């Protein structure tokens, strides 16, 4: 199998090589009478293939949601207010829950008192039996039997107390948790960017009540481009005003990317340089350098005649006023330039047809 794959790869490579090097008769190039054309020199330098997209400064928003259903009792924050993580922002009505909690606590107190009273009575009887057994002439066998019955009753009462008290304690813990869930806290440090809670309104479990703009979470959000831009491997930068800053792609996990694809919303997000002071909502440009060549030969795109996207083609070198057909290969093209791999030397002059 491995040899077969190697053979196929070699065959494909030979086809490409033949396509680029085959001696095809050069197209006849005749300029019309008084036709105008330009010439260009083969230059050497750095060339980039770069795309530019619209973008803007955005911020991460985190919602504080109701953890239990109920009527909103009080809203503790206002729009634009600064909050710290854990600050109380909304309180759901806890009167009914608190009443149940108080009732359960009272039941536990009464239950404990009732069983402790019964246990105290039985223990008192055991003490009396102990005194009777120490008296001369006492029927110790009968007293021992009675003592055994009383000890069994103590064990039974203690078991009942443990079981019933445990049930009440579990119910109390659940009620306390329900009361605690009625308090909604800020999920992070930041500024209150939205308040959807209103006192007197019902809020279902999971309803977003307050939205907080997270402190220090500013990032560049691309507003153009397709979903694959969110996984670009190019070098990225941001132009904000007259200044260009490097930015770093905030990568999706495979699970996040697939979920975003299903939702048909895969925005490309970029981490800003540390300490950069930016205004949320500001417009910017995202620049992505897909390919880059250093100290390479290049010439205007119009000078190269393509051969079916095979990264090879031909040009016409200008020698003593004559146009000489010359085959070339190239690494990549930009909107304006072609980066030449072979076929030309720096400083050579090529024919560039003028567009009509």
């Amino acid at each position: 199998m491995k040899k077969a794959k190697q053979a196929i790869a070699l065959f494909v490579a030979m086809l490409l090589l033949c396509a680029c090097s085959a001696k095809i008769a050069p197209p006849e190039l005749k300029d019309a009478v008084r036709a105008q054309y330009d010439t260009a020199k083969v230059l050497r330098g750095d060339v980039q293939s770069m795309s530019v997209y619209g973008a803007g400064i955005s911020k991460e928003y985190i919602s504080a949601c109701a953890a239990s259903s109920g009527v909103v009792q009080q809203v503790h924050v206002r729009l634009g207010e600064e909050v710290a993580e854990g600050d109380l922002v909304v309180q759901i009505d806890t009167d009914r829950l608190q009443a149940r909690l108080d009732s359960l606590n009272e039941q536990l107190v009464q239950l404990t008192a009732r069983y402790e009273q019964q246990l105290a009575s039985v223990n008192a009887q055991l003490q009396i039996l102990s005194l009777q057994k120490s008296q001369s002439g006492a029927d110790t066998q009968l007293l021992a039997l009675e003592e055994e019955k009383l000890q069994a009753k103590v064990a039974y009462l203690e078991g009942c107390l443990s079981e019933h008290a445990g049930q009440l304690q579990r119910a109390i813990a659940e009620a306390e948790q329900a009361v605690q869930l009625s308090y909604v806290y800020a999920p992070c440090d930041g500024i209150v960017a939205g308040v959807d809670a209103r006192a007197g309104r019902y809020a279902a479990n999971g309803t977003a009540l307050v939205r907080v703009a997270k402190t220090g979470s500013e990032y560049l959000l691309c507003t153009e481009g397709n979903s694959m831009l969110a996984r670009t491997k190019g070098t990225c930068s941001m132009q904000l005003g007259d200044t260009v800053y490097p930015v770093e792609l905030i990568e999706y996990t495979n699970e996040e990317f697939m979920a975003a694809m299903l939702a048909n919303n895969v925005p490309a997000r970029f981490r800003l340089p540390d300490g950069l002071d930016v205004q949320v909502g500001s417009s910017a440009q995202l620049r992505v350098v897909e390919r880059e060549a250093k100290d390479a030969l290049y010439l205007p795109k119009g000078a190269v005649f393509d051969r079916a996207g095979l990264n090879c083609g031909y040009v016409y070198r200008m020698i003593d006023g004559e146009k000489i057909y010359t085959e070339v290969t190239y690494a990549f093209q930009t909107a304006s330039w072609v980066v030449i791999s072979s076929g030309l030397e720096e400083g050579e002059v090529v024919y560039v047809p003028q567009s009509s």
Side-chain angles (χ1 to χ4, degrees), residues 229-310:
L229 185 58
R231 287 195 157 183
T232 181
K233 299 300 181 183
T235 302
C236 303
S237 60
M238 169 190 71
Q239 181 171 349
L240 189 62
D242 296 327
T243 308
V244 176
Y245 304 93
V247 292
E248 179 185 356
L249 179 69
I250 301 174
E251 295 187 8
Y252 287 86
T253 64
N254 288 335
E255 293 76 12
E256 290 172 339
F257 186 79
M258 292 306 299
M261 286 287 288
L262 289 173
N264 198 29
N265 182 26
V266 194
R269 305 163 301 173
F270 299 85
R271 192 172 291 108
L272 301 175
D274 292 339
L276 182 62
D277 186 18
V278 291
Q279 182 69 38
V280 174
S282 299
S283 297
Q285 278 189 342
L286 170 67
R287 299 181 169 194
V288 181
V289 177
E290 292 93 359
R291 300 193 65 176
E292 186 173 20
K294 297 287 189 181
D295 193 32
L297 297 177
Y298 66 96
L299 47 74
K301 190 171 183 179
V304 179
F305 298 87
D306 270 334
R307 280 237 179 100
L310 294 174

Side-chain angles (χ1 to χ4, degrees), residues 33-49:
V33 177
R34 298 179 182 175
Q36 297 295 315
Y37 65 88
D38 293 327
T39 60
K41 279 189 176 182
V42 179
L43 303 175
R44 182 178 293 278
D46 300 339
V47 182
Q48 293 181 337
S49 174

Side-chain angles (χ1 to χ4, degrees), residues 70-75 91-93 197-203:
V71 176
V72 175
Q73 188 176 65
Q74 188 174 0
V75 180
Q91 182 178 345
I92 307 295
D93 184 10
R198 298 290 185 274
R201 289 187 182 178
Y202 179 80

Side-chain angles (χ1 to χ4, degrees), residues 36-79:
Q36 297 295 315
Y37 65 88
D38 293 327
T39 60
K41 279 189 176 182
V42 179
L43 303 175
R44 182 178 293 278
D46 300 339
V47 182
Q48 293 181 337
S49 174
M50 182 174 67
S51 298
V52 179
Y53 304 93
I57 305 300
S58 190
K59 200 175 184 74
E60 183 180 359
Y61 295 90
I62 303 178
S63 293
C65 301
S68 64
S69 300
V71 176
V72 175
Q73 188 176 65
Q74 188 174 0
V75 180
H76 294 270
V77 292
R78 292 172 296 182
L79 192 65

Side-chain angles (χ1 to χ4, degrees), residues 12-13 83 86 168 175 244 290 293 307 313 319:
V12 172
V83 293
L168 282 172
V244 176
E290 292 93 359
R307 280 237 179 100
I319 301 178

